[in-house]
Each structure stands twice: as C-alpha cells, then as structure tokens.
Amino acid sequence: MPQSGRLSWSFLTNHAQVLLCIANDPGARLREIGDAVGITERAAHRIVTELADAGYLSRTRVGRRNRYTIQSDLPIPDPLARQQRIGDLLALLDRGGAPGERGPVVESGSAGEPGPAREPGSAREPGSVARLG
C-alpha cells in the first residue's frame, strides 16, 4: 500500500459508485454525487447521462431538481457478471451492516413487473430505497 495509506485504484468503477450514490439518495445533486465519488460535477453529469442513455436509470424532474430511478432488473454490463442484475450488485454493496445483513435495494423500474416486497405499513415513491429484511 502507498505511504499515504490510499491506493491509486479502486475495485469499483466510477459508474458503479455513481449508481450506489443514487441508490442511497435518489434526489442527490450532481455536485453531491461527484463529491461522494471523488470526481468533478461535470464527470458525474457525464456518467449519469451515460447510465440514462444505456437505460440503467431514468430521471424525473421534481421542481428544480432531478429524481433518479434505477432499473434494478437490468443485467450488469460486464462479461463476468452478466448473469447478475444491477439490483443484486447494489444490495451487496450497500448492506450497511455486518456480513449477511441486507441493506437498501431499489425497486425495479420495469412496467408490469413487481418490485421487491415492502415492509408492512411502508409507503414508497418511485425511485425510493426500500429496506428488505
């Protein structure tokens, strides 16, 4: 490991990190996403646009802000992980607790397909994060 204690590389691409930020906060601003990932706001905008153009997320205008919905049923665009879905990756990466605990996952954006089960009494708006237990 370098003397500074930081590696010069990451296991996750910036695209995966941007998706994880959006999964945690569907109303995040591009500046906030960029700060969290360690990239510029312009780079965050480019990545969000690429993800939207590829169908992995959609944007809805809410006032002066965007709200994002991740299409969690789509496959991971990687030859080695093609059998896995985006929602599987996000659930794995954002457990937020001890190994074996489940964390937030996003609902499927496909029309006609049900999203993940909801906790009793919980109401979600499209694109929001739900905890599965």
Side-chain angles (χ1 to χ4, degrees):
M1 188 171 346
Q3 289 180 339
S4 68
R6 271 185 68 112
L7 295 173
S8 59
W9 53 273
S10 173
F11 281 107
L12 300 176
T13 66
N14 288 345
H15 285 68
Q17 292 180 47
V18 166
L19 271 177
L20 190 57
C21 286
I22 290 171
N24 287 321
D25 183 3
R29 291 187 165 120
L30 292 171
R31 178 175 294 159
E32 297 164 345
I33 294 170
D35 288 345
V37 175
I39 58 177
T40 65
E41 183 177 348
R42 181 182 292 260
H45 182 269
R46 179 184 53 80
I47 290 170
V48 166
T49 299
E50 289 172 354
L51 291 169
D53 289 348
Y56 285 94
L57 62 84
S58 58
R59 294 178 264 208
T60 304
R61 197 77 172 156
V62 179
R64 294 175 52 189
R65 297 182 72 169
N66 285 322
R67 183 155 192 86
Y68 302 98
T69 303
I70 295 173
Q71 306 304 316
S72 62
D73 60 323
L74 293 178
I76 294 173
D78 186 291
L80 295 175
R82 201 170 300 158
Q83 302 301 327
Q84 301 299 315
R85 304 284 175 218
I86 291 295
D88 299 333
L89 175 66
L90 294 173
L92 173 69
L93 293 174
D94 198 29
R95 290 187 173 162
E101 288 184 13
R102 288 186 171 187
V105 293
V106 293
E107 68 181 74
S108 171
S110 294
E113 289 186 26
R118 297 180 187 182
E119 291 180 6
S122 69
R124 293 183 311 188
E125 58 184 279
S128 64
V129 177
R131 289 220 175 257
L132 296 178

